[in-house]
């Protein structure tokens, strides 16, 4: 960190970590406080890009709502401030008491997106639970209410070690249920510009989304289907490609098995069938298939829009299969498009990791008898794990950078569960929805107060294609830009877990440089047993995180604005002589699920006369899930959660933009504010998540907005492997609320 030069204004450089895009930023610091954030124009790849959330970091850091001292809830529901050491001691005592009476299974951890501020934080909760001896059963993460199907499908299909072809130079791309220009999912670096440039350079972009989005602006083809029909559409595209012989038979013969099973499974998905279930043109399916197959490079990718209505694993599996039949993986002699810089030096080969079964039947969860999987405990069951008595009942929950009071499906049940805990700890920066229910709120350090580095973004590639990563051998490290506000008593999340474990007499082993997931490891992680006598510094943790990296962290540190390490050789090597692994196109579980999807015309929820609209998710540019709602600068734009409808639906239900509405599903109801969106497919209602008040607080449609998770049933329909409830394509009704 540069010296604080008293009253003078100076410029420092950091990394924004509000989302995983990790944009380099230029920060104006006055009197030790960050006053302005702009994109770092000296960045070799980001081009000075930032979004409104990043530019509003100073307002978040110095927000009047920021929690700066640990808070303890009193019996009357009020909070008092206590010193950090006392908070840790009291929490440890309560955990000891719960463990003594009920066993370690009563303690659970749920980390979330507020943890991205330091790359150690998102993983340390899992390592704490390992130290408690209850991993993976008591480790609940957002992955299992997000896109865990990516990891599951990759396990069933096998992973191509050299990864997918690069986005920026591909000649076609099919995006299914993703809007990277806003979400940065898949494209982290200046996504608006990157998408525009790729199209300019000849990419035929195909977007499948019920809504015309920022990402469809440059599309060659935008298909706007009924929500929840993506598996049928992808099967239809495969049908055309396999039927017309448009695939890369040489690649398939050399690298994959199961093509006959796949061919048979997609045979019934004719363009006419797909058109009738998805409400699109048969010609659109054919055009997408022929365009994709004819181009020399490109991928099919899926994200939340495709995953939330269930069948996310199948959608991802079909996308991987499309990429495999068209040979869309980086080959020997080509440049690795997911290069390692802060990840370990590995000989990258044009070969698969063999498929494996990412769950076992040895042990099942208490709730819904779900199998143990590689993606941790099924978070959709967490409220019932808390509410259901018996051995193993969860009685204490530590939330780090997460907001389960609004992010868990079925908000009312989640609220009852959080309220029923013996101990709820929220490591947060404000009295979030969850914080307002917590026994203790532990103030974390914020993004500009912790060091940062790009390794986490690099490693996102292991969680399935289209998650993150850099196409160029880029890396950056940034020291903390400012100190936490004077007089505050904060602790980084990871350090809180360390101190708590130490006090409980447990030793945490941190696994650095984890280069893989499940059974597909480029290199196994490097264990670092955290010493009990002295807490490591965050810098020492960073060293452990980057242990054995291809470029030493110390070298990366020399380049303030980040660097593209052009000198690294990225040439992909041929398949090793002893490699016998083959990708699997005909996994029996997936083929069976596809048959069910055909039989049930999508096997998704359909609108009814009572619930005539389908609710679909969307990301807002001003928010990162619930983060940003209380930021004074961002809140000046809006704080509520508009209920976007096609104008024809507004007319159908007698509504006008700005009307306060009641939205109902079979399961629950919320209030909202109607807003016209002509670019949305009629029959859909598009809203963001993680808004709203708590169930015991008054409705606030124009202020905090409505929480869509209240409309979701956690147990009616869920993924059979990782238990994710249906979170998209939810039948709802809408009606005006008479206002006085
Ligand atoms: N209905 C519905 N539900 C959904 C989704 C949906 O689309 N629809 N999306 C799902 C998905 S994909 C996800 S990933 C989850 C997200 O679920 P969560 O991760 O549980 O939710 P977030 O809102 O990201 O939680 C962020 C929390 O971190 C806090 N925070 C902000 N900055 C910091 C910081 O510097 N340090 C710490 N420690 N905390 C900080 C915020 O105040 C907030 O309480 O939600 C899921 N739930
Ligand atoms: N600004 C911002 N960025 C974020 C977040 C945020 O809250 N705000 N959240 C972060 C998180 S946790 C995640 S997981 C990622 C998610 O990243 P993405 O998955 O890219 O999320 P969205 O931008 O909502 O894009 C999903 C798209 O799917 C469409 N869709 C909805 N239902 C369906 C359907 O049934 N079928 C199809 N084909 N499309 C459908 C929606 O209209 C929407 O345009 O974003 C991350 N980045
Ligand atoms: S919030 Fe994400 S996209 Fe926006 S500036 Fe920060 S890292 Fe970049
Ligand atoms: Mo997410």
């Amino acid at each position: 960190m540069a010296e604080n030069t008293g009253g003078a204004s100076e410029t420092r450089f950091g990394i924004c970590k509000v989302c995983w895009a990790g944009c380099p930023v230029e920060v104006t610091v006055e009197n030790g406080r960050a006053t302005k954030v702009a994109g770092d124009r000296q960045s070799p790849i980001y081009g000075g890009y930032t979004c409104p959330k990043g530019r509003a970091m100073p307002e978040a850091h110095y927000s009047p709502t920021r929690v700066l001292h640990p808070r303890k809830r009193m019996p009357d529901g009020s909070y008092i401030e206590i010193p950090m050491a006392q908070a840790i001691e009291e929490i440890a005592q309560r955990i000891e008491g719960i463990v003594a009476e009920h066993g370690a299974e009563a303690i659970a951890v749920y980390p979330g997106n507020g943890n991205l501020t330091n790359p150690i934080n998102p993983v340390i909760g899992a390592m704490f639970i390992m130290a408690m001896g209850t991993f993976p059963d008591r480790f609940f993460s957002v992955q299992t209410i997000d896109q865990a199907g990516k990891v599951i499908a990759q396990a069933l299909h096998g992973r191509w070690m050299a990864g997918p072809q690069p986005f920026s130079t591909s000649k076609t791309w099919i995006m299914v249920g993703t809007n990277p220009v806003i979400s940065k999912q898949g494209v982290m670096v200046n996504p608006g510009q990157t998408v525009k440039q790729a199209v300019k350079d000849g990419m035929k972009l195909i977007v499948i989304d019920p809504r015309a989005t920022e990402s469809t602006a440059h599309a060659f083809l935008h298909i706007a289907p009924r929500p929840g029909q993506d598996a049928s559409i992808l099967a239809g595209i495969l049908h055309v490609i396999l039927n017309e012989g448009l695939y890369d038979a040489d690649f398939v013969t050399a690298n994959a098995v199961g093509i006959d099973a796949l061919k048979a499974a997609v045979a019934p998905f004719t363009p006419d069938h797909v058109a009738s279930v998805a409400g699109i043109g048969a010609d659109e399916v054919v055009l997408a298939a022929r365009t994709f197959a004819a181009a020399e490079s490109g991928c099919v990718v899926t994200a939340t829009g495709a995953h939330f209505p269930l069948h996310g694993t199948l959608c991802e599996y079909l996308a991987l299969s499309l990429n495999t039949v068209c040979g869309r993986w980086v080959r020997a002699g080509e440049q690795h498009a997911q290069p390692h810089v802060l990840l370990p030096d590995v000989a990258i080969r044009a070969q698969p990791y063999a498929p494996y079964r990412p769950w076992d039947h040895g042990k099942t969860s208490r709730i819904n008898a779900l199998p143990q999987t590689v993606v941790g405990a099924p978070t959709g069951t967490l409220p019932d794990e808390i509410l259901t008595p018996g051995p193993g009942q969860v009685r204490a929950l530590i939330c780090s950078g997460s907001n389960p009071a609004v992010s868990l499906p079925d908000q009312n049940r989640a609220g009852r569960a959080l309220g029923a805990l013996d101990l709820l700890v929220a490591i947060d920066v404000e009295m979030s929805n969850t914080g307002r229910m917590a026994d203790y709120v532990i103030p974390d350090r914020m993004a500009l107060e912790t060091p940062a580095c790009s390794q986490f973004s690099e490693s996102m590639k292991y969680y399935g294609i289209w998650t993150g990563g850099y196409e160029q051998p880029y890396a950056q490290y940034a020291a903390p830009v400012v100190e936490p506000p004077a007089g505050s008593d904060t602790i980084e999340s990871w350090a809180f877990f360390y101190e708590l474990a130490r006090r409980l007499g447990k030793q945490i082993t941190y696994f650095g440089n984890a280069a893989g997931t499940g059974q597909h490891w480029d290199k196994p992680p490097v264990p670092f047993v955290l010493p009990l006598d002295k807490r490591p510094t965050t810098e020492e943790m960073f060293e452990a995180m980057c242990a054995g990296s291809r470029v030493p962290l110390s070298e990366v540190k020399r380049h303030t604005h980040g660097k593209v390490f052009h000198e690294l050789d990225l040439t992909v090597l041929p398949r090793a002589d002893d490699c016998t692994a083959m990708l699997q196109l005909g996994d029996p579980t997936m083929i069976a699920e596809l048959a069910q999807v055909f039989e049930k015309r999508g096997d998704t929820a359909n609108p009814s006369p009572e619930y005539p609209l389908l609710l679909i998710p969307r990301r807002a540019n001003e928010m990162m899930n619930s983060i940003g709602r209380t930021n004074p600068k961002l809140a000046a734009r809006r704080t509520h959660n508009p209920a976007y409808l096609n104008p024809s639906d507004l007319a159908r239900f007698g509504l006008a933009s700005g009307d306060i509405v009641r939205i109902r599903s079979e399961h629950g109801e919320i209030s909202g504010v109607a807003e016209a969106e002509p670019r949305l497919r009629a029959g859909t209602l598009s809203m963001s998540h993680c808004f709203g008040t708590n169930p015991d607080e008054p409705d606030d449609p124009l202020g905090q907005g409505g929480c869509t998770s209240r409309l979701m049933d956690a147990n009616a329909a869920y993924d059979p492997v990782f238990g994710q409830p249906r979170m998209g394509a939810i039948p709802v009704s809408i009606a005006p609320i008479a206002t006085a």
Side-chain angles (χ1 to χ4, degrees), residues 49 181 189-198 200:
Y49 174 83
V181 172
V189 178
N190 195 349
Q193 190 53 37
T194 303
V195 171
K196 198 168 152 191
Q197 189 62 44
K200 225 170 150 186

Side-chain angles (χ1 to χ4, degrees), residues 478-491:
V481 172
V482 289
E483 294 284 350
S488 61
D489 188 4
T490 60
I491 188 167

Side-chain angles (χ1 to χ4, degrees), residues 19-20 51 53 113 146-147 175-180 182-185 208-211 213 225-230 303-306 308-309 466 616-626 680 686 689 728-729:
C19 84
W20 62 74
C51 82
K53 301 180 292 300
N113 289 272
D146 186 337
Q147 301 153 77
M175 296 181 182
V176 191
T178 181
N179 183 16
I182 297 302
S183 70
K184 286 86 195 169
Q185 172 137 356
I208 302 177
D209 193 315
R211 178 170 71 103
T213 66
R226 280 189 197 119
Q229 296 292 354
D230 300 291
T304 54
F308 283 179
W466 201 249
I616 60 169
R618 73 194 282 147
R619 258 71 192 153
N621 204 24
E622 297 80 11
M623 323 284 165
M624 172 67 180
N625 307 319
S626 67
L680 181 66
S686 167
H689 57 294

Side-chain angles (χ1 to χ4, degrees), residues 169 261 277 355 382 413 456 532 547 611:
T169 54
V277 297
L382 177 55
R413 182 183 303 243
F456 183 79
L532 283 177
Y611 300 107

Side-chain angles (χ1 to χ4, degrees), residues 98 102 105-107 386 390 393-397 420-424:
I98 293 168
H102 305 285
E105 280 204 319
I107 317 296
I386 298 167
Q393 181 177 9
V394 171
R395 293 162 189 274
L397 179 66
L421 285 162
D422 292 349
L423 175 66
L424 174 59

Side-chain angles (χ1 to χ4, degrees), residues 432-485:
S432 66
N433 296 72
T434 306
R436 299 200 289 279
M437 304 186 74
D439 298 292
Y440 294 89
V441 178
I442 302 295
D444 193 5
R445 298 201 165 185
M446 293 189 81
L448 295 174
E449 298 159 359
T450 60
C453 91
S454 52
Q455 196 219 43
F456 183 79
S457 302
E458 237 181 86
S459 68
M460 290 291 288
K461 68 166 184 170
Y462 292 116
Y463 302 96
I465 59 169
W466 201 249
T467 45
Y470 298 101
E471 289 182 4
Q472 298 188 66
Y474 169 83
Q476 189 184 13
Y477 164 90
V481 172
V482 289
E483 294 284 350

